[in-house]
Amino acid sequence: MKNNIDLVEHCKKALSEGWGYVYGTFGNILTHDLLRYKYIQYPANIHPYIDFIEQNYIGKRVTDCVGLIKSYMWWDGSNPVYDSTTDKSANGMFEASVVKGTIDTIPEISGILVWRKGHIGVYIGNGKVIESKGTKYGVVQTPLKGLNSNKWTHWCMCPYIEYITEMMDMVFKDLIVNGNRHWAADIIEKAAEEGIVKGIKQPDGSYVFKPDSPITRAETIVLIMRALGKAE
């Protein structure tokens, strides 16, 4: 099954290949015939940029924002193949997702989708997003928050792929204080081994768990989904 780790790699490939942006597309190589077809479908979205598109994107792969995600979902090894059952707009993708939350609660999971009304991107970890930003930008990498971010309001898990974690031996250094292990340390470490919980990565590469911190509603949903095997 398609998964979040491969979604991120797909987006990185689109970024490195310099995919362009054409409304209504999802990773196909742009020909004059395809552009003409999309112009007929979406004249208001394409007409203002027709000269720019013809000069910059003919012969290149192109996608709109949600099309970047769909291009991975539909990829058959060399090209995307349209699937009407999973064809969603940016807003439709967010609405179809079961696991979601406000952007301030986003978990550190590569391949989480970031959303604001009418636009969607892919969080690749470490505070970075890959998105098909618009006709004059194409596929670009932007910060999750702050200057030059797209002011994302929410995150969600793509409902059509599996979420897995890149397993590693996590040692939460804050579970031992003054030589004493936290009362829940054994269970926390077991949950980490099972992929149910993750720590918070520090600048030095170590992890902390903050076992006595409050838990948000979004974090609770993620834990439940992982425990049920619906997300890892």
Side-chain angles (χ1 to χ4, degrees), residues 148-168:
N148 297 322
S149 77
N150 224 316
K151 297 180 173 61
W152 309 106
T153 60
H154 292 75
W155 63 270
C156 68
M157 287 186 171
C158 178
Y160 306 112
I161 66 172
E162 178 183 10
Y163 278 82
I164 61 176
T165 54
E166 297 170 297
M167 298 307 294
M168 62 183 74

Side-chain angles (χ1 to χ4, degrees), residues 27-140:
N28 290 107
I29 294 174
L30 185 66
T31 63
H32 288 288
D33 286 343
L34 178 57
L35 178 57
R36 189 177 304 111
Y37 176 63
K38 292 301 172 183
Y39 184 94
I40 293 170
Q41 275 189 303
Y42 309 109
N45 299 94
I46 294 179
H47 176 73
Y49 307 104
I50 190 68
D51 291 340
F52 181 90
I53 292 169
E54 288 181 329
Q55 292 170 13
N56 291 275
Y57 295 151
I58 295 294
K60 298 177 64 174
R61 292 194 185 275
V62 291
T63 179
D64 62 15
C65 66
V66 73
L68 179 60
I69 301 159
K70 292 187 289 192
S71 71
Y72 167 69
M73 289 162 36
W74 300 342
W75 200 261
D76 73 346
S78 57
N79 282 294
V81 177
Y82 178 75
D83 178 2
S84 61
T85 64
T86 56
D87 187 9
K88 300 290 184 182
S89 64
N91 292 349
M93 187 74 74
F94 179 75
E95 291 165 4
S97 176
V98 175
V99 185
K100 63 186 77 173
T102 54
I103 200 65
D104 58 305
T105 66
I106 186 171
E108 185 60 28
I109 300 175
S110 297
I112 286 281
L113 308 184
V114 288
W115 175 86
R116 63 170 172 78
K117 188 175 181 180
H119 191 50
I120 201 163
V122 178
Y123 180 62
I124 64 169
N126 297 316
K128 299 174 183 177
V129 172
I130 293 179
E131 57 180 304
S132 191
K133 189 174 180 179
T135 307
K136 295 293 185 72
Y137 299 92
V139 175
V140 295

Side-chain angles (χ1 to χ4, degrees), residues 170-187:
M170 285 190 185
V171 177
F172 304 128
K173 62 183 183 181
D174 60 342
L175 294 185
I176 301 177
V177 179
N178 297 325
N180 298 314
R181 281 173 62 79
H182 190 276
W183 64 267
D186 289 345
I187 299 299

Side-chain angles (χ1 to χ4, degrees), residues 104-105 200 209-220 223:
D104 58 305
T105 66
I200 303 169
F209 188 78
K210 296 187 178 180
D212 298 311
S213 296
I215 187 169
T216 67
R217 293 174 66 191
E219 289 168 337
T220 302
L223 290 177

